[in-house]
Amino acid sequence: MQLNPAITKELNLRAGKKLFTSLSEYLNSQSKRFLLTWCSAVVLLVGVADYVTGRELSFSIFYLLPIFLVTWFAGRNAGIFMCVTSSATEFMANFFASRTNFHPLISFWNSAMLLGFFFIFVFILTIIKMEYQGRLKLISELEDSLEELKRIKEELDQKSLDLTRSNDDLKDFAYSVSHDLQEPLRIIAGYVNLLARRYKGELDSDADEFIEYTVDGVKRMQALIKDLLEYSQVGTRGKHFKPIESSLAVGLAVGNLQTAIEECGAVVTYDELPTVMSDLSLMSRLFQNLIGNAIKFRGKDTPGVHISAGRKGTEWVFSVRDNGIGIDSRQTERIFLIFQRLHDRDEYPGTGIGLAICRKIVERHGGRIWVESEPGKGSTFYFTIPDPDREETV
């Protein structure tokens, strides 16, 4: 089987790196004095051969081998020392071999030129070595970074798996508890209401008050269980979104709130709304909660709610504006948390889960939700719904 050229190149690079690293570790384990002594002996032997044979040019090339070894493994200063030694050896070989030129200074000039050549060789070799070591260091750092990233990814994958399992367990728990509590609570509510009808006025005033408190507590518990059950189901519903008309979702929400709207004379209007990829029941619940909040937290004027939408980039931005009591800007993040209430229950009833459900529905669609408001000046809730068609054409 033939390997990919890129993989083959990477394997060759790693093999070369291992070879140089092993050789470097071996030679660095020896003393510089031993290396210098060994290379000096080689230079002297080359000098003797140079003296005997008289082949200055061919043997002068072999002076580079000990210079190379000393420079690479013992450092630049040791390489310069070996340059001087090699040049001196080459000069002495020519001198004792009585190789004269038509001018005596030519031998010194040739040796000086050869020394300069050796120096240039050493400095070039030093630069190559520095670049090589830099690349080795970079490769080592990259390998360490890759190992660290791999470890972090494995940890994140495990934490994500644990979190998913924990969320699933929490959803199952909330769903189970809600269902298991509903039946005994219905029985309690039935008997308490029966007590209230049969014995109201026949017992003392304290008993009537206790019964009233019990009935109210049962109603609040039923509402809380209902909202908790809905909150736990948001993440599992609407897995396969399809195109729906937003105006249809608003119409369903208004229909569900018809009694509350008629009681306070609220006016709900909306502009032309887009078709979005969503789940009809989730979208209608989202609008129902936002419109219901606007009606609940109304001011002295007749409640008015206006819904509009506009495209921004690759998403639709919806707004639900009301003329209610408004919200302190310091509380605009807190109101989307579950069980968070800004007002006393006797003043404004509710479980404190409605806006948390809204946020979960919007996040289920891949959007975000926020509010802009001032006390006494109403509130405008914004939420976004991504537009897949727009994303494909961008």
Side-chain angles (χ1 to χ4, degrees):
M1 182 179 64
Q2 187 176 4
L3 293 177
N4 187 290
I7 297 177
T8 304
K9 184 178 180 181
E10 179 67 19
L11 292 175
N12 292 335
L13 178 62
R14 291 186 179 182
K17 176 188 171 184
K18 289 181 179 180
L19 177 62
F20 273 103
T21 302
S22 300
L23 183 60
S24 177
E25 289 177 353
Y26 171 74
L27 291 176
N28 284 333
S29 64
Q30 311 300 319
S31 66
K32 290 184 180 180
R33 181 177 299 177
F34 172 80
L35 186 61
L36 285 172
T37 302
W38 182 80
C39 289
S40 298
V42 171
V43 169
L44 291 176
L45 289 175
V46 173
V48 172
D50 194 356
Y51 166 75
V52 173
T53 62
R55 298 172 62 187
E56 300 93 338
L57 181 61
S58 60
F59 276 94
S60 64
I61 296 176
F62 289 100
Y63 289 116
L64 295 177
L65 176 60
I67 293 175
F68 169 83
L69 293 175
V70 169
T71 302
W72 190 270
F73 297 107
R76 185 177 61 183
N77 292 335
I80 293 175
F81 171 78
M82 190 56 61
C83 288
V84 176
T85 302
S86 299
S87 299
T89 301
E90 193 271 345
F91 175 79
M92 295 304 294
N94 289 333
F95 178 78
F96 286 111
S98 300
R99 298 174 192 141
T100 58
N101 296 282
F102 64 89
H103 195 285
L105 293 179
I106 291 180
S107 297
F108 290 98
W109 173 257
N110 290 339
S111 298
M113 291 296 293
L114 188 62
L115 179 61
F117 170 74
F118 287 161
F119 279 173
I120 293 174
F121 175 77
V122 166
F123 280 100
I124 292 176
L125 190 62
T126 303
I127 293 173
I128 294 174
K129 179 184 177 182
M130 291 175 60
E131 183 178 354
Y132 171 75
Q133 290 178 335
R135 291 187 177 183
L136 285 183
K137 183 179 179 181
L138 179 60
I139 291 174
S140 178
E141 292 176 351
L142 288 175
E143 289 178 346
D144 293 340
S145 299
L146 288 175
E147 289 296 327
E148 182 67 14
L149 287 174
K150 182 179 179 181
R151 184 186 64 81
I152 293 175
K153 181 179 180 299
E154 290 175 353
E155 291 181 357
L156 289 177
D157 290 342
Q158 184 60 41
K159 289 181 179 179
S160 177
L161 183 62
D162 294 341
L163 183 60
T164 301
R165 187 183 299 113
S166 177
N167 286 338
D168 292 339
D169 293 342
L170 185 59
K171 291 174 185 176
D172 294 340
F173 173 77
Y175 186 82
S176 176
V177 168
S178 299
H179 272 77
D180 293 343
L181 284 177
Q182 280 182 341
E183 183 59 29
L185 197 59
R186 277 195 293 266
I187 296 174
I188 294 173
Y191 279 105
V192 169
N193 288 326
L194 185 62
L195 282 173
R197 287 197 303 268
R198 286 189 179 183
Y199 300 103
K200 187 175 182 179
E202 298 184 11
L203 304 174
D204 56 20
S205 58
D206 288 341
D208 291 341
E209 186 177 2
F210 295 157
I211 292 175
E212 184 178 351
Y213 286 154
T214 304
V215 171
D216 181 64
V218 169
K219 289 181 180 179
R220 290 206 308 269
M221 180 62 74
Q222 287 178 322
L224 181 61
I225 291 175
K226 177 177 174 294
D227 289 345
L228 274 175
L229 182 60
E230 184 174 357
Y231 183 82
S232 67
Q233 289 177 335
V234 169
T236 58
R237 292 174 58 186
K239 290 185 178 180
H240 303 288
F241 295 147
K242 59 183 180 180
I244 67 162
E245 296 181 8
S246 302
S247 56
L248 178 59
V250 173
L252 290 175
V254 171
N256 293 334
L257 294 170
Q258 193 61 40
T259 301
I261 291 174
E262 292 177 354
E263 286 179 354
C264 63
V267 178
V268 179
T269 59
Y270 53 90
D271 297 334
E272 183 178 354
L273 301 177
T275 298
V276 296
M277 294 296 294
S278 178
D279 177 88
L280 182 59
S281 61
L282 291 180
M283 283 295 290
S284 63
R285 183 59 178 176
L286 173 60
F287 284 116
Q288 181 177 330
N289 284 0
L290 294 177
I291 298 172
N293 267 11
I295 295 173
K296 181 193 299 184
F297 299 102
R298 59 182 179 270
K300 297 180 180 179
D301 299 332
T302 301
V305 183
H306 182 73
I307 304 170
S308 60
R311 189 193 297 277
K312 185 177 181 181
T314 60
E315 59 188 10
W316 290 102
V317 180
F318 290 81
S319 65
V320 181
R321 186 178 70 251
D322 64 58
N323 60 348
I325 61 176
I327 304 169
D328 190 334
S329 59
R330 294 172 297 182
Q331 306 292 339
T332 54
E333 291 293 333
R334 179 187 167 196
I335 61 174
F336 293 104
L337 301 177
I338 192 169
F339 300 131
Q340 295 298 313
R341 300 176 53 87
L342 304 184
H343 306 279
D344 186 74
R345 183 178 287 106
D346 295 334
E347 186 178 5
Y348 295 101
T351 60
I353 304 180
L355 288 178
I357 292 176
C358 291
R359 186 180 70 171
K360 196 167 185 180
I361 291 174
V362 172
E363 290 178 349
R364 183 73 179 86
H365 288 76
R368 62 192 189 282
I369 186 170
W370 70 97
V371 61
E372 295 178 1
S373 179
E374 291 184 26
K377 296 185 179 180
S379 305
T380 302
F381 284 85
Y382 297 92
F383 65 89
T384 63
I385 300 293
D387 184 3
D389 294 335
R390 185 71 172 182
E391 290 176 355
E392 292 176 359
T393 59
V394 170

